[in-house]
Amino acid sequence: MAVNYGLGGFKDGAGFIYATAPEHEITISTQDEDTLCDLEYDVYDSLNASRPSVSVLSLDLAGYWLVNYNISTSGASGDDLTFSLSHEGGTAFQNGQQKFNSKAGDYWTTSGWAIIKILGSSEPTITLLVANNSSTDNITLADVNISAFRVGSLDGTGDYEAGIAFVNAYQNSSFNVGYAAVDTFYPLGEDLNLGHTFQVGFDNRKFTIEQPGFYYFAGSFSVSGSANDDLELGVFINGTNTENVQTSPKQAWNAKGGSVYQTSYNGLFQLKKGDTLEPCVQNITDTTGNSAFQNTNLVLIRVGNI
């Protein structure tokens, strides 16, 4: 039997980093402009990754890295905000973007996932950006958490012997999901963009397993519409009928007022070759109105043998 080196045991080098940042106000000069979050990161643990300057993290080993951020915000009352990732001084990556409405300016949270390709000494850095899409009001960030770990080498070799597998898909243009029946899960209904993938098939919005094993799944979504309805995310495995909805993970929320809300969920699946996986959503309240998915980010990563 092949040895499972795991995500921390690549033959050609593991990599990870976890950093936090204290509360800090971000000055917004121009509406809809991506602004660097000039945070003062504290690094707790790292391997083959570093903090070259206070607001920049560096992923110092070439390969594919999963990056995750979780942030609490306040201020900018009633404004739509969009967070994204970038290389230092660069434009925002298309994958990993998340939008939400700040409601009354009280504390709200957002999180996003992206698989980023790091080429080594050319552009190893990662920064966090924010745009105020409604005004030039400043934004206060608190409880900032950002982590990254290496999930594969650039050529797919040198990884743990059983074989690495991962996929990242995203969509930043709005698409609607309608509900013909209450308490019934429906596919997201729109083709997603493929980010990076290795040994996982991808067809529009569905993943197909090529390498059996245990897989970590995560999804983050920015959703508007279906005002004041209770909505719930789920996962289809091997079909889109009711019996194909998994018991977990699920994530429910109320679409207060219908403004943009951000939610996320994650889980672990044991999957065999040929299995398919895709996210789904249901309206628990009624069938009037649609849900508009404005930012969708999905990742699926193989983490071990069966």
Side-chain angles (χ1 to χ4, degrees):
M1 179 179 293
V3 176
N4 183 355
Y5 289 86
L7 287 175
F10 293 114
K11 291 180 177 180
D12 61 346
F16 56 81
I17 189 168
Y18 170 60
T20 65
E23 183 170 308
H24 181 68
E25 184 178 67
I26 308 300
T27 301
I28 302 297
S29 301
T30 305
Q31 183 178 326
D32 290 322
E33 182 176 282
D34 291 322
T35 301
L36 173 68
C37 296
D38 52 342
L39 301 164
E40 295 186 7
Y41 286 123
D42 291 317
V43 175
Y44 280 74
D45 292 292
S46 65
L47 176 68
N48 287 317
S50 58
R51 190 200 70 173
S53 60
V54 292
S55 59
V56 177
L57 300 180
S58 180
L59 310 180
D60 300 326
L61 189 61
Y64 293 95
W65 291 67
L66 175 68
V67 182
N68 170 236
Y69 60 84
N70 297 272
I71 306 163
S72 299
T73 71
S74 61
S77 178
D79 291 354
D80 289 343
L81 312 175
T82 300
F83 283 87
S84 56
L85 297 162
S86 74
H87 293 304
E88 184 179 11
T91 57
F93 301 146
Q94 290 298 301
N95 55 340
Q97 295 186 20
Q98 293 298 159
K99 178 182 287 188
F100 67 101
N101 185 274
S102 62
K103 309 297 186 196
D106 299 325
Y107 275 121
W108 286 91
T109 62
T110 188
S111 59
W113 283 269
I115 293 179
I116 305 301
K117 184 178 183 179
I118 297 296
L119 298 177
S121 59
S122 61
E123 296 187 328
T125 57
I126 293 293
T127 59
L128 185 67
L129 307 176
V130 65
N132 188 326
N133 305 122
S134 304
S135 75
T136 56
D137 288 353
N138 294 341
I139 303 158
T140 298
L141 307 187
D143 297 329
V144 177
N145 297 274
I146 186 166
S147 60
F149 57 87
R150 190 170 182 263
V151 299
S153 56
L154 293 180
D155 60 1
T157 63
D159 301 323
Y160 64 89
E161 288 184 358
I164 192 66
F166 59 82
V167 65
N168 176 203
Y170 66 93
Q171 179 64 276
N172 294 323
S173 58
S174 181
F175 61 88
N176 291 328
V177 176
Y179 307 99
V182 176
D183 291 328
T184 302
F185 280 97
Y186 294 93
L188 295 190
E190 182 76 10
D191 294 350
L192 302 178
N193 299 306
L194 179 62
H196 300 293
T197 186
F198 186 74
Q199 294 200 109
V200 178
F202 175 73
D203 179 18
N204 300 327
R205 59 182 184 269
K206 180 172 62 179
F207 302 138
T208 301
I209 301 303
E210 298 176 2
Q211 177 96 258
F214 288 95
Y215 282 78
Y216 172 75
F217 167 78
S220 53
F221 308 83
S222 300
V223 189
S224 62
S226 299
N228 303 316
D229 290 354
D230 291 333
L231 308 173
E232 187 174 41
L233 292 165
V235 173
F236 285 134
I237 299 290
N238 294 332
T240 57
N241 297 317
T242 300
E243 62 268 22
N244 301 113
V245 179
Q246 303 302 292
T247 304
S248 60
K250 290 180 179 176
Q251 193 70 53
W253 76 99
N254 183 273
K256 299 287 187 185
S259 58
V260 185
Y261 185 86
Q262 199 274 319
T263 189
S264 59
Y265 65 160
N266 59 82
L268 187 70
F269 296 103
Q270 179 178 322
L271 300 171
K272 62 183 184 300
K273 184 175 181 178
D275 282 349
T276 62
L277 180 151
E278 63 179 301
C280 53
V281 63
Q282 70 171 345
N283 190 318
I284 304 171
T285 306
D286 59 40
T287 60
T288 59
N290 297 326
S291 297
F293 283 73
Q294 299 190 30
N295 297 97
T296 299
N297 290 281
L298 306 173
V299 297
L300 186 67
I301 301 170
R302 189 177 188 275
V303 295
N305 298 331
I306 296 175

